[in-house]
């Protein structure tokens, strides 16, 4: 960080534990400009005991890779191999979607892929949301199946317990995936979590893009999840997810999210990205990321100085700090 003067360096070092405190990364089924894809029969992805025929292509492609990985646990896939294998699975089925991995900190793509780090001693919690929008325009068929397929995988291979998994699906038997219920579940899992705990998030449903209202999006649009009652209650924006998880979680919490919906590439507004398009060999800083969000997490007197640096200096600072 040679481009910072000593006063700025001290302010940065003093405040950096408050920035990006949790270890968060997300797998999305497509880039922001793409729509997601559905499959009519998830059995074609060789999923064991599939909950139903229809499902999201992202969820099915990821689970296919993860189940294959469980056959040889002594020889795990790397992050790059998982993402590239997802893309290969999708291309074999005729889909053009590009899976994307984003994170709060740069992941070494040669490291072994994991849902929960082996040395993490705490409680494992999950929030799984699947919305078919029954009776509404744009009704889907496979989002419930995605949730139950993921539920089975988490229990069978990662030790998640029933009491620690919140399921919201519009099937009449579980909690309804309304905006209020989804946000309450997210806030609750953050409130419960302590250092050493793990959180798994899964959303399968509609996603969309809306005009950005606070000027923090380079392309002028916010990405958003579409809850069951969106007509009455509105959307869940990327800004909402950022505030809940990136700003809300304490240090030492490990979060993995899978977002199987349209326009979901940067739906958690995380600064580092790997796209399985054959061009990325490592994680890069997302060009469209608003680094003012990170700088605003730095409290105290250092905040004013760092804010004055501007976005370009902020990006260089992030590269130095997290390289």
């Amino acid at each position: 960080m040679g481009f910072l003067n000593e006063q700025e360096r001290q302010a940065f070092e003093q405040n950096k534990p408050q920035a990006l405190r949790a270890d968060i990364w997300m797998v999305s089924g497509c880039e922001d400009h793409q729509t997601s894809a559905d499959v009519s029969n998830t059995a074609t992805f060789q999923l064991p005991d599939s909950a139903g025929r229809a499902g999201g292509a992202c969820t099915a492609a990821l689970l296919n890779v993860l189940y294959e990985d469980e056959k040889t646990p002594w020889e795990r896939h790397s992050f790059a191999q998982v993402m590239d294998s997802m893309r290969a699975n999708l291309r074999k089925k005729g889909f053009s979607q590009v899976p994307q991995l984003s994170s709060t900190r740069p992941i070494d793509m040669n490291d072994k892929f994991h849902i929960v780090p082996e040395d993490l001693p705490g409680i494992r919690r999950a929030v799984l949301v699947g919305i078919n929008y029954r009776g509404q325009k744009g009704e889907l068929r496979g989002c419930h199946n995605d949730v139950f397929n993921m539920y089975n995988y988490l229990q069978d291979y990662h030790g998640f317990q029933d009491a620690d998994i919140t399921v919201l699906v519009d099937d009449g038997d579980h909690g309804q995936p309304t905006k209020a219920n989804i946000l309450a579940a997210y806030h609750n899992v953050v409130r419960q979590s302590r250092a050493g705990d793990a959180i798994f998030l899964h959303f399968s449903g509609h996603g969309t893009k809306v005009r950005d209202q606070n000027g923090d999006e380079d392309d002028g649009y916010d990405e958003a999840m579409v809850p069951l009652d969106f007509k009455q209650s509105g959307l869940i924006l990327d800004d909402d997810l950022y505030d809940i998880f990136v700003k809300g979680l304490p240090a030492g919490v490990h979060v993995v999210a899978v977002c199987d919906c349209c326009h979901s590439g940067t739906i958690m507004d995380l600064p580092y990205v790997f796209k399985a398009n054959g061009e990325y060999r490592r994680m890069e800083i997302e060009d469209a990321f608003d680094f003012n969000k990170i700088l605003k997490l730095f409290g105290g007197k250092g905040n004013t100085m760092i804010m004055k640096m501007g976005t370009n200096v902020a990006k260089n600072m992030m590269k130095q700090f997290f390289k």
Side-chain angles (χ1 to χ4, degrees):
M1 294 187 292
F3 51 84
L4 301 180
N5 65 43
E6 188 58 32
Q7 188 177 19
E8 292 165 340
R9 188 197 310 273
Q10 290 177 4
F12 181 75
E13 292 296 332
Q14 180 180 355
N15 287 282
K16 71 181 182 183
Q18 278 72 50
L20 301 177
R21 291 172 294 178
D23 178 22
I24 304 172
W25 52 268
M26 179 190 74
V27 175
S28 55
C30 60
E31 298 180 79
D32 282 346
H33 65 87
Q34 293 181 308
T35 57
S36 59
D38 298 319
V39 293
S40 59
N41 186 2
T42 56
T44 62
F45 285 86
Q46 292 82 47
L47 303 187
D49 301 321
S50 179
R53 293 179 62 84
C58 166
T59 301
L62 175 60
L63 282 173
N64 170 270
V65 177
L66 296 181
Y67 275 118
E68 283 297 314
D69 219 19
E70 297 299 342
K71 295 178 181 178
T72 55
W74 59 88
E75 195 176 34
R76 295 285 187 189
H77 285 70
S78 68
F79 279 90
Q81 288 172 326
V82 168
M83 299 305 296
D84 290 341
S85 294
M86 282 184 67
R87 178 71 192 282
N89 281 344
L90 292 171
R91 293 181 71 174
K92 287 178 183 177
K93 308 298 181 185
F95 299 119
S96 61
Q97 282 72 16
V98 176
Q100 184 167 310
L101 176 69
S102 56
S103 65
T104 50
R105 296 172 180 268
I107 297 169
D108 185 337
M109 297 303 293
N110 294 314
D111 285 350
K112 299 303 181 184
F113 186 93
H114 57 266
I115 295 296
V116 180
E118 293 181 359
D119 59 350
L120 211 64
I123 297 173
R124 303 176 181 201
R125 300 181 178 89
V127 178
L128 311 179
V129 181
I131 315 176
N132 280 349
Y133 310 91
R134 287 183 171 179
Q136 299 188 45
K137 183 179 179 180
E139 181 174 347
L140 300 174
R141 294 186 300 152
C143 298
H144 300 173
N145 300 335
D146 288 342
V147 163
F148 299 130
N149 286 333
M150 191 63 73
Y151 188 105
N152 292 337
Y153 173 75
L154 292 175
Q155 284 209 318
D156 291 346
Y157 290 99
H158 294 286
F160 284 74
Q161 302 300 309
D162 283 332
D164 299 316
I165 302 176
T166 299
V167 174
L168 299 175
V169 294
D170 53 335
D171 63 355
D173 295 324
H174 297 82
Q176 288 284 82
T178 62
K179 180 178 180 179
N181 285 348
I182 295 171
L183 291 178
Y186 288 165
H187 281 293
N188 189 49
V189 77
V190 167
R191 186 167 51 250
Q192 291 176 323
S193 294
R194 302 291 182 269
D197 290 349
I199 297 173
F200 185 88
L201 308 171
H202 183 233
F203 179 86
S204 180
H206 281 307
T208 189
K209 294 168 70 76
V210 294
R211 283 287 182 184
D212 172 38
Q213 298 299 314
N214 62 2
D216 69 343
E217 297 288 346
D218 188 64
D219 63 355
Y221 289 90
D222 280 316
E223 288 70 46
M225 295 175 174
V226 181
L228 179 64
D229 60 339
F230 69 96
K231 293 179 181 178
Q232 298 79 28
S233 302
L235 305 169
I236 298 174
L237 301 180
D238 49 9
D239 295 338
D240 299 322
L241 299 176
Y242 181 92
D243 287 344
I244 293 170
F245 293 105
V246 179
K247 292 174 65 174
L249 279 166
V253 178
H254 178 74
V255 182
V256 174
V258 175
C259 197
D260 195 348
C261 67
C262 297
H263 312 297
S264 57
T266 62
I267 204 166
M268 289 189 77
D269 276 351
L270 305 178
Y272 291 91
V273 65
F274 176 92
K275 298 180 182 181
N277 59 7
E279 299 176 6
Y280 284 64
R281 295 326 311 162
R282 64 177 185 179
M283 296 204 91
E284 303 288 352
I285 290 181
E286 171 60 50
D287 287 338
F289 182 76
D290 176 25
F291 278 83
N292 285 324
K293 285 188 173 184
I294 299 300
L295 298 180
K296 289 174 183 176
L297 294 180
F298 289 73
K301 296 180 180 179
N303 185 51
T304 301
M305 291 184 295
I306 296 172
M307 289 293 287
K308 289 180 179 179
M309 295 177 189
T311 301
N312 290 334
V313 175
K315 286 188 177 183
N316 290 331
M317 183 171 66
M318 292 287 288
K319 288 179 181 178
Q320 292 293 325
F321 176 38
F322 294 118
K323 69 180 181 179

